[in-house]
Amino acid sequence: MSRSAILNVMVQAALKAGRSLARDFGEVENLQVSRKGPSDFVSAADIAAEKIVRAELQKARPSYGFLMEESGTIEGEDPQHRWIVDPLDGTTNFLHGIPMFNVSIALEREGVIVAGVIYNPAMDELFTAERGRGAFLNDRRLRVAARKSMPDCVIATGIPFLGVGDHARTLKELRHVMGEVAGIRRCGAAALDLAWTAAGRFDGFWEHGLSPWDMAAGLLLVREAGGYVTDIDGGEKMFETRSIVAGNEQVQAQLRALLKNARS
């Protein structure tokens, strides 16, 4: 595959931050960790990775703004472009030695995600996408799974943790979905859930309570792999509603219907 100059910048930033995370992952027991809130950790590795990503992206495009998990919003001179960055998605996995975490970088142009990179250094898997140019895993073209019957499908989701999210809603949704599908998986890293949906490993994915940096790169991957992504109501307000449902056309529609029934 041929990458644009801007995607190459994003890839290099993700790989460099990923190498830093991989080193720390090998010494996870020695990490300095502070609490942000109940079950919501921020580590020295997280902060270091964000600094690396920011430095690499600013060097290439100094006028672009940022929306970052740790540093928040950083206004740029160019109001049409901003980077949306999660330097360590799957922090709890990382801190527990579970090799499912990633660096996620997206580029937003005039409110539209036009490029995305998700890199899992533990598995050395690099997911990339550019609007209108397809989605790839380590240079191999991706397509969403073709399964259409829900009993054949494996669906991924996120489950709220201590002190966060609507636990009662989650239990209702799980009851409605689990009886209709081959299995449900909860992996603990929303960006990877979306990347794996783009790769056809998962047939669909839904979650509530996400932030833009959790889903920006992943939603483009799914769409460029031929899938459908909306909010829980079928609209385009994923960032506002903080909800997302993804899959191929048939599975995504059926999954949304099950979730709607869970609310009635």
Side-chain angles (χ1 to χ4, degrees):
M1 62 166 288
S2 61
R3 297 184 185 133
S4 69
I6 198 69
L7 187 61
N8 275 328
V9 166
M10 297 167 68
V11 166
Q12 292 308 310
L15 292 177
K16 189 171 182 178
R19 288 192 293 270
S20 176
L21 290 174
R23 287 192 298 269
D24 285 329
F25 186 65
E27 301 180 28
V28 68
E29 293 180 355
N30 299 321
L31 287 178
Q32 295 179 8
V33 180
S34 61
R35 280 288 195 112
K36 284 197 297 187
S39 298
D40 191 8
F41 302 103
V42 57
S43 68
D46 198 340
I47 295 169
E50 183 173 278
K51 287 181 179 178
I52 290 170
V53 172
R54 181 178 175 183
E56 290 295 306
L57 297 179
Q58 277 189 323
K59 183 167 60 177
R61 296 293 189 276
S63 63
Y64 289 9
F66 286 87
L67 177 61
M68 310 181 81
E69 182 180 15
E70 302 304 334
S71 300
T73 299
I74 301 170
E75 299 293 343
E77 294 178 5
D78 181 349
Q80 296 181 327
H81 293 88
R82 72 171 175 173
W83 304 108
I84 302 177
V85 177
D86 191 343
L88 176 51
D89 177 44
T91 307
T92 302
N93 284 349
F94 182 89
L95 293 172
H96 285 261
I98 300 168
M100 294 188 65
F101 58 90
N102 64 92
V103 183
S104 179
I105 305 171
L107 176 60
E108 184 183 62
R109 177 179 297 135
E110 297 181 333
V112 177
I113 306 301
V114 296
V117 173
I118 295 172
Y119 179 53
N120 178 356
M123 298 181 180
D124 194 27
E125 290 192 331
L126 177 69
F127 297 87
T128 59
E130 289 185 89
R131 191 167 185 238
R133 301 185 67 177
F136 297 83
L137 167 55
N138 294 345
D139 298 334
R140 177 176 61 83
R141 185 71 178 258
L142 296 180
R143 294 294 298 178
V144 292
R147 286 176 285 271
K148 299 178 181 179
S149 174
M150 293 300 276
D152 297 329
C153 293
V154 171
I155 305 296
T157 190
I159 297 174
F161 44 84
L162 177 66
V164 175
D166 188 333
H167 293 215
R169 176 183 62 192
T170 299
L171 291 173
K172 286 184 66 177
E173 290 181 345
L174 285 170
R175 281 198 298 271
H176 276 75
V177 176
M178 70 173 62
E180 303 293 331
V181 301
I184 293 178
R185 301 291 182 267
R186 195 273 199 232
C187 297
L192 282 181
D193 287 328
L194 287 163
W196 286 20
T197 301
R201 297 172 181 174
F202 295 142
D203 298 283
F205 168 69
W206 94 93
E207 190 167 353
H208 301 274
L210 295 176
S211 297
W213 48 79
D214 295 316
M215 48 183 159
L219 69 86
L220 181 65
L221 275 162
V222 173
R223 286 175 171 171
E224 288 299 317
Y228 283 70
V229 181
T230 67
D231 61 28
I232 202 80
D233 296 313
E236 293 288 322
K237 297 181 178 180
M238 287 80 73
F239 291 179
E240 291 87 346
T241 66
R242 303 186 67 192
S243 67
I244 193 166
V245 186
N248 67 33
E249 182 178 8
Q250 293 81 8
V251 169
Q252 201 261 4
Q254 292 176 79
L255 182 54
R256 282 198 299 106
L258 289 171
L259 297 172
K260 182 179 180 179
N261 289 339
R263 290 185 287 176
S264 60

